[in-house]
Amino acid sequence: MNNLEEKRSAMIAMIEDWRSSGKSKKQYCLEKGINAAKFYYWYSRSKETESTPGVFIPIEKRSGTREIEVFYPNGVKLKVDGDLLLLSQLIHLY
């Protein structure tokens, strides 16, 4: 394992330790002497590894429903009233 992989593993373990501690992020950093900016960086990186990118999910076809919603992992939500061309253009803009 190279140095970067070791550091990543250690930081992910730190995030898991914080989660199991029940403490706030700020309190945990103060008690452990961790730089808060570094903690938040690795916290955001740990959320990236939690999701499974590139996996398709099944979509139910409902009759009578013309509204389409698409939710992106970063919180962006697209809501289009059945206009597939517009939806396609909006997805490509993102």
Side-chain angles (χ1 to χ4, degrees), residues 15 37-49:
I15 298 299
K38 185 182 285 190
F39 179 88
Y40 281 97
Y41 169 79
W42 283 104
Y43 174 71
S44 68
R45 295 293 306 261
S46 73
K47 292 193 305 186
E48 291 173 7
T49 60

Side-chain angles (χ1 to χ4, degrees), residues 5-93:
E5 290 172 348
E6 290 172 1
K7 183 172 186 173
R8 180 175 172 71
S9 294
M11 293 297 124
I12 299 300
M14 173 191 66
I15 298 299
E16 292 303 317
D17 184 51
W18 161 73
R19 285 187 174 134
S20 65
S21 75
K23 298 175 184 172
S24 69
K25 294 176 191 92
K26 184 177 180 179
Q27 183 182 10
Y28 182 84
C29 289
L30 286 172
E31 288 180 9
K32 299 286 185 174
I34 299 168
N35 178 299
K38 185 182 285 190
F39 179 88
Y40 281 97
Y41 169 79
W42 283 104
Y43 174 71
S44 68
R45 295 293 306 261
S46 73
K47 292 193 305 186
E48 291 173 7
T49 60
E50 290 172 0
S51 65
T52 52
V55 176
F56 288 98
I57 58 170
I59 299 175
E60 287 184 30
K61 182 178 179 184
R62 296 180 186 170
S63 61
T65 303
R66 304 231 15 141
E67 192 172 84
I68 300 168
E69 291 185 33
V70 177
F71 297 91
Y72 287 94
N74 66 355
V76 172
K77 178 171 90 170
L78 296 177
K79 191 174 191 178
V80 180
D81 292 331
D83 187 344
L84 295 179
L85 179 60
L86 175 60
L87 178 62
S88 174
Q89 291 170 342
L90 291 172
I91 289 172
H92 289 298
L93 283 176

